[in-house]
Amino acid sequence: MQGNLLLKIQVDAMFDTLEIPNTLAAGPGPGNTDPQVLASFTRCGVADHMQADVLRGMREAKFMLRELFGTQNTYTFGVGGTGWSGIDCMMSAVLPGDKVVAFVNGTFSGIDDLAIRMRASSRADLAASPDNPKPANVITINVAHGESVTGAVIEAALAEHQPKWAIMTHWETGSGRINDIEGFSRACEQHGVMGLVDAVSSLGVADFAIDDYPGVAAWASCPQKGVLCLPLTYAPVSFTAQYIASLKASGCYSYVHHPILEARHWGIIDGQDSDTAVYHRTHSGYAIAAFHEALRILLNYGRAQKAADYCFYEYVLREAVETMGCKVTSNMSSLVVLNLPADFAGREQELVKRCRAEGFGIWPTLSAPVQIRIGILNQLNNTAITEIISRFGDALEAMGVPLNKAKVMAQLDQRLTIKMAA
Ligand SMILES: *Cc1c(COP(=O)(O)O)cnc(C)c1O
């Protein structure tokens, strides 16, 4: 008793209760989670992973995911974790020695490339460079930061190398660039390649249907960007019948991220939808409740409407930062990636640090060159966009950038008035 009391006093003294403040999430992700999603998470009762409503939630989430992805792929479900968990599951069928072409134009496609090099490495490749293996069977095609991967680059690489797999990021969040998904799909079809796509930052933001890209055999996204659920809930993935047949024939070196085995818990058994579920691993009722609600909100909003709203708000944000003298190099609709005015080049980290310290969560780029990233995930309303632009203007002014903030805000008001009238 005495001992326990002493321990409690010591723990309280050393580790205060953790309080995490609310910040303005204006980065590339995680996005600004809807209060309804948080409410469904906290409302969830204590229930295990085979309880009937949890399983019903999983089955319904699977159907909603097919709608969101725009697909008839039966093997469409969520992988517990974040974007890299979904991507790891997507790469499960890539085996040591498989020939792969990987396209890289920024931080995340760079990590996709690393992850697939690890998958395709032999033991000798791994031993030679354990945390950055360079197997000869993986060909990396580098495209400059700030540029998109074009159909011509993809076609040339696949024609030359004739790989089994090709991997590309749909929207490269590191440099804010959209890559040519149509060209990728076409080249994969043309050369009999199975395409893998990292759609972590495009799903739920762009209006596209994956079934329009038959050369892509598997897609992976994340919970906390366009889908607007909480991190560490579920990363959406979708596999074509061709991928599943290939995996069925080859097998893979993963139990937990084995797409065929994992899908069983979501009621996908032997390629068919089933009302029953087979235990794969312990799922979380909390995560399912939140994921289900996030998908409901997204489908209610409508994929096309959401994409249109992102385009509008990205346009006004881009225009505002350009009026403030910054140069935008991105073309994604959920994010602007910018350079500071020439006289202030090199002070990006300082500016971002100052904003973050005040709870204004913008980001620098994570790989060179250093740029600033301002995101608008779920900030699709006039109040939110006004606050983001105003706070960024204040931060620039505090650093000494000469700008006419009143003019910027008046221009913004004008744009928002036009939207309200439309
Ligand atoms: C954010 C992101 C990832 C990584 O996702 P996590 O959720 O952090 O695991 C991978 N690819 C792209 C394109 C991303 O934007």
Side-chain angles (χ1 to χ4, degrees):
M1 201 58 194
Q2 282 257 330
N4 278 347
L5 203 56
L6 269 180
L7 183 66
K8 185 178 159 19
I9 290 167
Q10 282 169 353
V11 170
D12 280 352
M14 286 169 71
F15 308 106
D16 217 350
T17 309
L18 178 65
E19 306 274 359
I20 296 176
N22 212 15
T23 64
L24 176 56
N32 173 38
T33 311
D34 196 299
Q36 267 176 258
V37 172
L38 294 167
S40 64
F41 187 93
T42 54
R43 238 191 355 253
C44 177
V46 177
D48 65 50
H49 53 285
M50 297 309 281
Q51 190 272 343
D53 295 293
V54 174
L55 294 178
R56 179 173 62 86
M58 293 178 78
R59 282 198 306 277
E60 290 181 0
K62 167 185 76 177
F63 294 130
M64 287 193 277
L65 271 182
R66 286 183 196 157
E67 189 67 31
L68 179 63
F69 267 122
T71 187
Q72 313 262 354
N73 287 341
T74 313
Y75 281 86
T76 301
F77 56 93
V79 178
T82 67
W84 295 124
S85 315
I87 288 167
D88 190 62
C89 182
M90 174 174 77
M91 290 179 181
S92 61
V94 177
L95 299 179
D98 277 1
K99 192 164 183 185
V100 181
V101 170
F103 297 95
V104 173
N105 67 325
T107 312
F108 295 99
S109 44
I111 301 175
D112 286 333
D113 173 51
L114 169 61
I116 211 160
R117 281 188 279 116
M118 289 169 160
R119 283 268 180 196
S121 281
S122 65
R123 289 183 70 138
D125 294 325
L126 281 176
S129 183
D131 52 12
N132 189 17
K134 304 240 169 66
N137 46 303
V138 178
I139 297 107
T140 303
I141 308 291
N142 287 297
V143 171
H145 174 105
E147 287 177 22
S148 296
V149 180
T150 63
V153 164
I154 299 163
E155 168 57 32
L158 299 195
E160 181 185 347
H161 300 291
Q162 303 284 332
K164 176 174 182 183
W165 308 98
I167 184 162
M168 188 178 79
T169 300
H170 186 193
W171 288 19
E172 171 47 79
T173 328
S175 53
R177 298 297 303 186
I178 296 178
N179 294 328
D180 183 355
I181 194 69
E182 201 178 335
F184 182 76
S185 173
R186 201 180 324 114
C188 286
E189 269 196 297
Q190 176 81 24
H191 300 287
V193 176
M194 283 192 281
L196 306 175
V197 170
D198 169 349
V200 166
S201 62
S202 55
L203 187 71
V205 178
D207 184 19
F208 66 105
I210 66 172
D211 283 358
D212 291 341
Y213 305 103
V216 182
W219 301 74
S221 191
C222 85
Q224 77 280 359
K225 285 177 181 162
V227 174
L228 292 161
C229 194
L230 301 163
L232 290 175
T233 55
Y234 289 101
V237 289
S238 187
F239 302 89
T240 61
Q242 185 199 10
Y243 181 105
I244 295 299
S246 169
L247 170 64
K248 211 168 173 178
S250 67
C252 74
Y253 291 104
S254 175
Y255 166 78
V256 70
H257 286 164
H258 191 306
I260 297 172
L261 300 185
E262 198 170 4
R264 296 173 310 169
H265 210 132
W266 296 81
I268 301 164
I269 298 170
D270 295 331
Q272 304 288 328
D273 284 321
S274 166
D275 285 339
T276 55
V278 174
Y279 165 75
H280 181 64
R281 64 157 150 168
T282 303
H283 285 269
S284 152
Y286 304 96
I288 292 296
F291 190 51
H292 188 273
E293 189 61 16
L295 291 170
R296 269 169 32 86
I297 292 170
L298 201 47
L299 293 187
N300 263 325
Y301 199 118
R303 205 169 65 198
Q305 184 61 49
K306 194 123 210 196
D309 286 355
Y310 274 116
C311 286
F312 173 77
Y313 285 106
E314 189 270 348
Y315 176 87
V316 297
L317 174 59
R318 166 189 295 264
E319 185 181 55
V321 300
E322 283 179 341
T323 305
M324 295 185 217
C326 300
K327 185 172 184 296
V328 175
T329 62
S330 54
N331 65 356
M332 280 171 52
S333 59
S334 55
L335 183 69
V336 301
V337 182
L338 59 89
N339 295 327
L340 289 177
D343 289 350
F344 295 83
R347 295 180 65 186
E348 296 81 9
Q349 296 282 15
E350 174 193 334
L351 183 89
V352 168
K353 217 168 146 185
R354 179 191 309 229
C355 291
R356 294 183 63 85
E358 290 166 4
F360 176 34
I362 63 172
W363 282 74
T365 48
L366 299 179
S367 50
V370 182
Q371 294 182 283
I372 291 172
R373 296 186 295 164
I374 310 175
I376 55 169
L377 288 172
N378 222 25
Q379 305 283 8
L380 305 178
N381 62 75
N382 296 355
T383 311
I385 203 77
T386 303
E387 184 177 358
I388 290 171
I389 291 170
S390 174
R391 289 182 74 163
F392 187 66
D394 291 345
L396 287 180
E397 280 188 320
M399 208 170 73
V401 176
L403 61 93
N404 183 342
K405 194 180 163 202
K407 183 182 152 201
V408 172
M409 299 317 284
Q411 178 182 260
L412 172 66
D413 271 348
Q414 199 185 36
R415 303 295 182 248
L416 299 181
T417 308
I418 293 170
K419 179 166 200 299
M420 303 251 274

